[in-house]
Amino acid sequence: YVYRLEEAVLKTLAHHGVTGHRVAGAPGIYVNLADPFGHAALTGPRVDPFEGLGKIAALGIKVSRHCTYHGVALNVAMDLRPFAGINPCGYVGLQTVDLSTIGVQVSADEVAETLAAKLGVYLSP
């Protein structure tokens, strides 16, 4: 389920020319801050798995008392200043970014429409 949510976000980013990445053990999607439009994969062992990356999408999934809660947040154009005072997802020094910050000027509605279509593809039975 997590993989499919991430895949929908990755395909949404690709639709806008951005290459997203997964980091093992850290759900969400990240971009290479030095080259968010490059297609190079993250390779080799990394001492700091987040070095040079910014988190552009977060996932929240919980099951409690037989109820499921889930969500995905893809940052489009927002005030990122509050994130400077926290460690996103508990990772010290991890930067939070949005599409606007990396140079993609697109409306939230357009991104939402694309993401909804991708979720329909990747979460369909």
Side-chain angles (χ1 to χ4, degrees):
Y1 181 71
V2 170
Y3 179 88
R4 289 177 177 205
L5 284 174
E6 289 177 336
E7 194 65 21
V9 172
L10 288 169
K11 297 300 184 186
T12 299
L13 290 172
H15 178 84
H16 296 286
V18 176
T19 300
H21 302 277
R22 291 182 172 97
V23 173
I29 299 299
Y30 305 82
V31 294
N32 179 345
L33 296 173
D35 188 12
F37 305 100
H39 299 296
L42 301 178
T43 59
R46 298 166 54 100
V47 174
D48 175 358
F50 302 106
E51 182 179 355
L53 301 180
K55 188 164 192 171
I56 197 162
L59 304 176
I61 301 166
K62 176 181 178 181
V63 178
S64 176
R65 298 181 187 172
H66 306 288
C67 293
T68 60
Y69 305 86
H70 51 86
V72 58
L74 174 53
N75 303 331
V76 178
M78 53 193 279
D79 179 1
L80 295 170
R81 288 177 295 181
F83 290 94
I86 66 169
N87 295 320
C89 302
Y91 298 106
V92 176
L94 178 59
Q95 184 177 344
T96 300
V97 298
D98 60 16
L99 287 169
S100 176
T101 301
I102 61 171
V104 178
Q105 302 306 312
V106 64
S107 73
D109 288 343
E110 185 178 344
V111 174
E113 186 176 307
T114 303
L115 180 57
K118 301 301 182 187
L119 286 168
V121 169
Y122 290 98
L123 296 181
S124 295

